[in-house]
Amino acid sequence: MVKLATILLLFAALTVLPPLARAQDPARAWNELTDEQRAMLAPFEERWDRMPVERRQNIVDGMRRWQQMTPEEQQQARRRFEDWNRLPLEQRQMIRERFRDFRSLDPQQQRAIRERFRDFQNLPPERRRALRDRFESRRADGMRRPRDGAPPGGPPPERSGNRPQD
């Protein structure tokens, strides 16, 4: 009797749970999406079923974040997207590469970079401009990314405090 109950339970799990799991899977085929999802994802309709599952999942996750934004946040996101689309392709590729490089750093290195960026943002505009000019001149003088993929100039030097060096 216990064996029969176990078999029936296993059969039910194998036949009922997969369709339920697919119903919860937002990255499923286009015709399996809800009407609301299809309406929001309409720009992707033609290519949805050809997209990798991971890409579809990212799009659905973005749709959920969008739905949770305030109208002001949505407007800011639209402006950023428009700014991104106005960038030349080469610049977008460079930004993506730098982002991948940043994501490959350990958390301590990421934190140090964020702190230095915050310090930079807190500088007076004329000081930020001077540092940008100095960086651009160093870059123009041939500062290149090393073959090991490390950021140009290597890791930041150890220093006391979190203040930018002059």
Side-chain angles (χ1 to χ4, degrees):
M1 185 69 172
V2 172
K3 197 173 195 178
L4 179 61
T6 305
I7 291 172
L8 288 175
L9 186 59
L10 183 60
F11 176 75
L14 292 174
T15 57
V16 173
L17 293 180
L20 287 177
R22 273 196 307 278
Q24 300 301 315
D25 178 17
R28 60 191 183 270
W30 181 261
N31 62 357
E32 295 176 2
L33 294 172
T34 66
D35 290 340
E36 180 185 9
Q37 288 174 322
R38 282 195 299 263
M40 290 208 57
L41 300 171
F44 302 101
E45 180 177 9
E46 293 299 316
R47 58 187 188 272
W48 183 262
D49 289 328
R50 294 188 309 268
M51 283 186 202
V53 172
E54 183 178 302
R55 174 82 172 118
R56 287 188 270 180
Q57 183 65 50
N58 289 339
I59 291 170
V60 169
D61 291 344
M63 177 190 71
R64 286 186 183 138
R65 283 192 306 274
W66 180 263
Q67 290 172 320
Q68 294 171 353
M69 289 180 184
T70 65
E72 295 81 23
E73 290 170 329
Q74 289 179 356
Q75 184 60 35
Q76 183 181 23
R78 279 187 195 98
R79 279 194 299 270
R80 286 183 175 172
F81 185 70
E82 290 165 1
D83 291 346
W84 174 258
N85 282 330
R86 278 193 288 272
L87 292 174
L89 179 61
E90 300 80 32
Q91 191 172 2
R92 286 185 287 185
Q93 288 171 330
M94 180 192 66
I95 292 168
R96 285 184 187 110
E97 180 181 324
R98 286 185 178 174
F99 183 70
R100 275 192 299 273
D101 290 349
F102 177 79
R103 295 288 301 245
S104 70
L105 299 173
D106 66 56
Q108 183 179 359
Q109 291 171 312
Q110 289 181 10
R111 193 171 21 266
I113 290 171
R114 284 187 184 105
E115 288 172 7
R116 288 193 332 224
F117 181 71
R118 247 186 320 273
D119 291 343
F120 176 80
Q121 292 295 93
N122 290 327
L123 292 173
E126 59 277 356
R127 181 71 178 122
R128 287 196 312 256
R129 198 171 310 112
L131 286 171
R132 278 191 191 105
D133 291 346
R134 191 170 97 195
F135 176 78
E136 289 301 323
S137 69
R138 287 178 62 194
R139 183 192 243 173
D141 290 342
M143 186 172 78
R144 298 284 182 251
R145 185 177 298 270
R147 286 189 195 144
D148 65 2
E158 291 296 320
R159 59 179 191 233
S160 61
N162 288 330
R163 299 174 52 95
Q165 291 179 330
D166 293 336

